[in-house]
Amino acid sequence: MIGWLFAKLFGTNNARQIARLQPLVQRINQYEKITEALSMEELRQKTNTFRERITLGESLDALLPEAFAIVRETARRTIGQRHFDVQLMGGIVLHQGKIAEMKTGEGKTLTETLPLYLNALSGHAAHLVTPNDYLARRDAAWMGPIFEALGITVGVIQNSMNDYERKMAYRADIVYATNSELGFDYLRDNMKFRLDDYVQRKLAYAIVDEVDSILIDEARTPLIISGPAEESSELYVRINRIIPSLRTDADYEINEKDRIVLLTESGNDKIEQALGVTSLYTMDNIKLLHHVNQALKAHTLFRRDIEYVVRDNQVLIVDEFTGRILPGRRYSDGLHQAIEAKEQVAIERETQTLASITLQNYFRLYKKLAGMTGTAQTEAEEFYQIYNLHVISIPTHQPIIRVDKPDLIFLNKQGKFHAVANDVHTRYEVGQPVLIGTVSVEKSELLSDILNNIGVPHEVLNAKNHAREADIIAHAGEVRHVTIATNMAGRGTDIKLTDESRALGGLYVLGTERHESRRIDNQLRGRSGRQGDPGESRFYISLEDDLIRIFGGEGTKRRMERAGMKEDEVIESGFLSKRIEDAQEKVEKIHFEQRRHLLEYDDVLNQQRIVIYSYRREILEGQNSIEGLVRDLIAAAIEDIVALYTKKAYLTPELYTEIMTAIANMTNIGRDEFDAQGISHINSETLQSDSINFLLIRYRLAITDENSAQMEEAQKWLMLESLDQAWKQHMLNLDRLKEGIGLRQMGQKNPLIEYKREAFDLFAEMMRAVRWEIVHHIFRLNLARFDKAALEQQREHELHTMQLSTGGTDASSSSEKPAPKRSEKPNIGRNDLCPCGSGQKYKKCCGK
């Protein structure tokens, strides 16, 4: 916090920062006459010249003025657009690894071409991150001619691509992709068994478009790759039948502010009676309690046409910030299945995490990160604290002349919607285009019915008809066009006016209630008044709106009624508007704390993830030979066993026998062979070194000139498979640990500290188990049974049948792909010979 305040007071004063950009803009402008005189071929050759200068040690900062001038001239010739000075400023800010706040219509997409080109010259790909596939595809096609004219290759990552297509796209100098595709490719790469199968290159530089949407709004939903868990859908259906019989307040209590629902004693008794159990709170019934709680949430906190819609026998989540359907997204932890049971649609199986990462930790992997949006200042503190990103507000090219009128406040929703309808009808009669912003699908359809009743033609843009978004937005700025939209009309689109609609006052934006985030309100306003166009905005608010009712303080409506306010009365109140803004800030702080809380817990997993992925990479790259890694594992495994049995140097005969028996069991080498080596009986240190030396000799003897290549491949696959299986189980263990860790507060303990401590212990135990398992199998390897081709084919199938999701405490999502199922044990009988080649029965060897 101190660092943030210092930066705010002394480092990021916006006017000072903009003043510092001016000399650099002037230097770029000085190159304009020079670049205008160059032919297209000479402009293209500049790319090779710049790369040569970088090879000779020149920095990107030194190249910036000339490189930006080259891009500007190329853009003018290829797509007919010339960068304004304010766009040059935005490009400089992006190159510096900061967030450029640029208002709607200021040309963010064109601005991004400047730093993308400059950073692509370094030899590492520059990534442009968009919120959805459509924008990635659109922007790459739109700006592609600029880069192609300069000899810079452009790749686009789309959800439908296979691994080969992805790999080719990532080889481009500039890559357009969504945040989820980038994150999932990172996770999938770190589950592969060959470096050649990796699709991503080094994460060097990224510009995150709509950075507040991706790094703030999406930060609570981690990216998850999962496989199926053994879970029956019958239990969801069974519990779902019970919930409607419970009564609000009597059997359960709802806390809307914290989105919590809790059973009362009465409700608890009814559930136990219906399920035929003595107590829900015994260890045997903890699973039932979890299902009951999720079913309660599904019925009380998650509402059809608000949080989700039902289409084609599926429950589809609606993004609260954009109003768009989130393709494939599923709520996590059984909540989605509970909603499916409630809506009586097909119930999909629960899943188990195989790999995960939060967007926060993924984007912190980039060496340099930047972002763009029209609304970032309200979240500037979070950007600085979490990502070390400063926010710089770029001036507009033309002054904003939009008129933002004071809020109109009504006693109840009925009075508000009646006034909204009258206002829209008046504007329609005049011919002024109107954009009406609503917070949910349900509200957009309600308002549509009202306008139909008074004869106002209009279009509705929400999650149910998002396929027509481009067409609806294309006409929204025309005369006599009325558009009702959820927040999806506020991202990645410009509503363009006709000359006639400009003369009528431009686009009128009417918000029907305040969103929980001030940024979303600002985005809605920003649809009007682009590039110096005229415009107007106003919000209609009722004291029954959820934001005011839940977060604005108890009794606001009652106090106004006592003061004499009537249902059909409207007021403009600076006091009430301030209360509303205070409520929004309160919600924003709650969400910030949730995101920070998620990050604090994920940082624990992230540190462990880095260790595992680095070790996998070391195995695959073979920088240290596989033989060297195995020798280290053998030594570490022996150290683990000795440390497990004794911490004293002195050995008793009993301890010696226990240690040697454990080593013999792990390595499949008889005790008599160890005894013949004269292993020390005196102290643990000597015993340890003697045992390690003997095992390293035995291991080396197993490798011959004839089998060394096959031995290396077999060991590599064995190490990766053991590591991956253990990591999968470890993440499941951490999920279970996290579920109950909050209860530690009741014992006056800090749950986060407890989680860190226990997660570390679990990780240490996992690594010990991995070492033991690898060494256990190394000394039982039967190369005659090692079929590399079959294993590669099996692995390829697994990677292509995984389920992708973005999940969290409240939300997760998944693709429609079936999930993998890897057998934990070979499909052989327990009395068959073990396939590892030990000569023992399976139940006595690997089947233990």
Side-chain angles (χ1 to χ4, degrees), residues 685-698:
E685 289 182 4
T686 310
L687 179 151
Q688 179 175 290
S689 60
D690 286 352
S691 299
I692 290 172
N693 290 335
F694 169 59
L695 290 175
L696 291 179
I697 292 171
R698 283 294 301 267

Side-chain angles (χ1 to χ4, degrees), residues 24 28 46-47 50-51 53-54 58-72 88 91-97 111-126 146-147 150 152 173-174 205 207 368:
L24 205 46
I28 298 168
K46 281 291 183 180
T47 298
F50 290 147
R51 284 173 168 161
R53 288 163 63 180
I54 291 171
E58 196 165 350
S59 69
L60 294 182
D61 291 346
L63 293 176
L64 187 150
E66 188 177 359
F68 275 28
I70 291 294
V71 174
R72 178 161 68 176
L88 298 180
I92 297 167
V93 168
L94 292 174
H95 168 68
Q96 292 173 343
T111 300
E112 291 158 347
T113 59
L114 300 163
L116 285 174
Y117 172 76
L118 178 61
N119 284 270
L121 295 171
S122 66
H124 300 297
I146 302 172
F147 299 124
L150 290 170
I152 296 291
D173 299 314
I174 294 170
Y205 176 67
I207 300 173
K368 183 166 68 172

Side-chain angles (χ1 to χ4, degrees), residues 229-452:
E230 299 300 327
E231 191 64 57
S232 170
S233 62
E234 186 277 331
L235 188 55
Y236 292 103
V237 176
R238 181 183 171 197
I239 291 176
N240 182 68
R241 295 193 189 106
I242 302 170
I243 302 302
S245 66
L246 303 181
R247 296 170 299 156
T248 309
D249 295 332
D251 299 323
Y252 59 84
E253 297 173 348
I254 302 174
N255 181 336
E256 290 184 278
K257 183 180 294 187
D258 297 324
R259 292 186 65 76
I260 295 172
V261 57
L262 298 172
L263 281 174
T264 63
E265 287 295 329
S266 169
N268 193 66
D269 292 341
K270 287 182 179 179
I271 294 287
E272 288 173 348
Q273 184 178 0
L275 292 175
V277 298
T278 305
S279 172
L280 281 173
Y281 295 90
T282 63
M283 288 303 297
D284 291 341
N285 293 326
I286 199 72
K287 180 178 173 183
L288 282 177
L289 178 62
H290 173 73
H291 278 69
V292 169
N293 286 333
Q294 296 299 69
L296 266 176
K297 281 185 182 180
H299 278 266
T300 59
L301 298 177
F302 290 81
R303 299 155 295 177
R304 185 169 179 163
D305 289 342
I306 297 179
E307 281 81 16
Y308 64 90
V309 297
V310 177
R311 181 194 296 165
D312 300 330
N313 201 36
Q314 288 183 306
V315 172
L316 305 173
I317 299 177
V318 177
D319 189 333
E320 64 172 306
F321 296 101
T322 67
R324 291 184 171 91
I325 283 178
L326 299 170
R329 176 162 296 190
R330 292 180 63 79
Y331 294 113
S332 63
D333 212 17
L335 177 59
H336 207 95
Q337 286 83 354
I339 296 174
E340 288 170 334
K342 166 191 166 185
E343 297 293 345
Q344 299 182 3
V345 301
I347 300 175
E348 294 189 18
R349 293 176 65 182
E350 276 200 70
T351 57
Q352 175 186 336
T353 301
L354 304 179
S356 74
I357 191 169
T358 60
L359 290 174
Q360 293 161 317
N361 274 320
Y362 173 74
F363 281 106
R364 293 198 297 186
L365 292 171
Y366 281 88
K367 185 176 181 181
K368 183 166 68 172
L369 184 65
M372 293 197 82
T373 183
T375 47
Q377 282 294 354
T378 55
E379 315 294 344
E381 180 180 353
E382 181 168 354
F383 280 124
Y384 182 79
Q385 286 194 21
I386 303 299
Y387 304 100
N388 196 30
L389 288 171
H390 293 291
V391 176
I392 308 297
S393 294
I394 306 299
T396 57
H397 178 60
Q398 298 286 349
I400 295 176
I401 60 173
R402 182 188 67 239
V403 178
D404 296 325
K405 292 191 172 181
D407 300 338
L408 295 181
I409 300 171
F410 298 80
L411 191 64
N412 57 33
K413 294 180 182 179
Q414 183 178 344
K416 176 182 72 173
F417 281 115
H418 178 71
V420 166
N422 287 338
D423 191 0
V424 173
H425 185 271
T426 301
R427 306 274 178 166
Y428 173 73
E429 289 295 319
V430 173
Q432 184 177 15
V434 180
L435 174 66
I436 307 169
T438 63
V439 297
S440 68
V441 174
E442 180 188 51
K443 296 287 177 59
S444 67
E445 293 179 341
L446 170 64
L447 192 53
S448 177
D449 290 340
I450 294 172
L451 294 186
N452 282 331

Side-chain angles (χ1 to χ4, degrees), residues 369-649:
L369 184 65
M372 293 197 82
T373 183
T375 47
Q377 282 294 354
T378 55
E379 315 294 344
E381 180 180 353
E382 181 168 354
F383 280 124
Y384 182 79
Q385 286 194 21
I386 303 299
Y387 304 100
N388 196 30
L389 288 171
H390 293 291
V391 176
I392 308 297
S393 294
I394 306 299
T396 57
H397 178 60
Q398 298 286 349
I400 295 176
I401 60 173
R402 182 188 67 239
V403 178
D404 296 325
K405 292 191 172 181
D407 300 338
L408 295 181
I409 300 171
F410 298 80
L411 191 64
N412 57 33
K413 294 180 182 179
Q414 183 178 344
K416 176 182 72 173
F417 281 115
H418 178 71
V420 166
N422 287 338
D423 191 0
V424 173
H425 185 271
T426 301
R427 306 274 178 166
Y428 173 73
E429 289 295 319
V430 173
Q432 184 177 15
V434 180
L435 174 66
I436 307 169
T438 63
V439 297
S440 68
V441 174
E442 180 188 51
K443 296 287 177 59
S444 67
E445 293 179 341
L446 170 64
L447 192 53
S448 177
D449 290 340
I450 294 172
L451 294 186
N452 282 331
N453 290 336
I454 63 172
V456 176
H458 60 277
E459 293 275 11
V460 179
L461 176 57
N462 61 31
K464 290 185 176 181
N465 67 342
H466 63 94
R468 293 189 57 236
E469 179 177 358
D471 181 57
I472 293 173
I473 291 298
H475 298 287
E478 297 174 3
V479 171
R480 297 177 74 83
H481 268 74
V482 175
T483 307
I484 302 172
T486 54
N487 299 323
M488 64 195 308
R491 286 289 187 185
T493 53
D494 281 347
I495 297 176
K496 297 182 180 179
L497 303 179
T498 63
D499 290 339
E500 193 177 355
S501 60
R502 283 191 187 91
L504 291 170
L507 181 68
Y508 175 48
V509 169
L510 190 158
T512 56
E513 65 185 273
R514 293 281 193 169
H515 194 274
E516 288 181 353
S517 169
R518 289 170 293 169
R519 286 183 297 108
I520 308 302
D521 292 342
N522 292 336
Q523 287 161 17
L524 180 61
R525 279 200 183 98
R527 297 304 96 196
S528 176
R530 61 180 295 279
Q531 286 286 336
D533 281 340
E536 185 181 341
S537 74
R538 170 163 260 162
F539 278 84
Y540 281 66
I541 296 166
S542 100
L543 299 182
E544 293 179 342
D545 291 344
D546 288 346
L547 177 70
I548 299 172
R549 184 175 56 81
I550 298 172
F551 297 99
E554 297 294 333
T556 302
K557 182 185 176 186
R558 289 196 301 271
R559 285 195 294 273
M560 295 306 295
E561 285 176 322
R562 285 198 297 268
M565 188 175 179
K566 304 298 182 185
E567 180 177 312
D568 58 352
E569 188 177 351
V570 58
I571 62 172
E572 292 181 13
S573 168
F575 170 75
L576 285 178
S577 293
K578 182 64 170 63
R579 289 292 297 271
I580 293 166
E581 189 170 331
D582 290 344
Q584 289 177 305
E585 288 190 47
K586 188 184 299 183
V587 180
E588 288 166 359
K589 287 177 181 177
I590 291 171
H591 289 168
F592 179 22
E593 288 305 315
Q594 289 173 342
R595 291 187 290 268
R596 185 160 61 182
H597 181 74
L598 172 67
L599 184 62
E600 287 173 340
Y601 278 85
D602 190 62
D603 276 344
V604 177
L605 178 62
N606 193 51
Q607 293 167 10
Q608 298 175 0
R609 183 191 299 114
I610 290 171
V611 171
I612 294 297
Y613 286 1
S614 298
Y615 193 57
R616 282 188 103 263
R617 188 94 189 189
E618 189 176 358
I619 294 170
L620 290 169
E621 289 177 343
Q623 290 177 348
N624 297 321
S625 67
I626 295 300
E627 182 182 337
L629 292 175
V630 172
R631 291 170 66 88
D632 291 342
L633 285 172
I634 292 171
I638 298 301
E639 292 168 3
D640 290 339
I641 290 176
V642 173
L644 180 66
Y645 283 93
T646 178
K647 293 183 179 180
K648 298 178 181 178

